[in-house]
Amino acid sequence: MNNIARANIDIWYNYMKDQSDEGLMNQLADNAVFHSPVVHSPQEGKAMVFAYLNAAEGAFANSGFQYVDEIIGSDGRKAMLEFTCKIDGIHINGIDIIHWDEAGKIVNFKVLIRPMKAMNKIWEKMAIMLEKNKG
């Protein structure tokens, strides 16, 4: 495996373990973009991407969230990380597609979730967390 990819993924995994706001902010490029499974338009800029990923952290709390597989791009700057968890009795299966720049900063983060009832549950939980984090 590409050493660049391993380093970038390990930094992401460390954030997922520690869930440090500072750790997340340090990983994001200023021009980062987030693609949500439930919001049509891309969310652009470090502050917006932070808000969505931070809300996701809250939405997935106590869900048994875990990564179960990873696929690394040949250039070492992108990865697909498959995850699974359960919220309110609904099994959620998803993929985080992450792209890093040359400096190891996240520039693009896309989330895909299945099945539809899981996506609806995440939409519900994310809306609550985004509203809570506003105040």
Side-chain angles (χ1 to χ4, degrees), residues 28-33 44-46 49 101 106-108:
L28 300 174
D30 290 338
N31 63 339
V33 178
E44 299 179 351
K46 186 175 189 170
V49 174
D101 64 14
I106 295 171
V107 292
N108 199 300

Side-chain angles (χ1 to χ4, degrees), residues 58-70:
F60 285 107
N62 303 312
S63 69
F65 182 100
Q66 65 178 4
Y67 285 112
V68 294
D69 202 2
E70 56 187 43

Side-chain angles (χ1 to χ4, degrees), residues 51-129:
Y52 272 80
L53 291 175
N54 189 263
E57 175 187 317
F60 285 107
N62 303 312
S63 69
F65 182 100
Q66 65 178 4
Y67 285 112
V68 294
D69 202 2
E70 56 187 43
I71 300 171
I72 310 305
S74 61
D75 67 356
R77 301 212 189 283
K78 54 186 164 270
M80 292 190 294
L81 308 176
E82 182 181 5
F83 63 86
T84 186
C85 63
K86 187 180 265 189
I87 297 177
D88 297 341
I90 297 171
H91 179 262
I92 298 171
N93 179 237
I95 297 173
D96 290 336
I97 303 172
I98 308 172
H99 293 227
W100 292 270
D101 64 14
E102 316 73 48
K105 301 289 186 181
I106 295 171
V107 292
N108 199 300
F109 199 109
K110 183 182 292 185
V111 181
L112 306 172
I113 292 178
R114 62 167 300 280
M116 181 61 97
K117 67 181 176 177
M119 189 170 63
N120 290 336
K121 179 54 70 176
I122 291 302
W123 175 82
E124 172 190 321
K125 295 289 188 181
M126 286 289 294
I128 291 167
M129 292 308 301

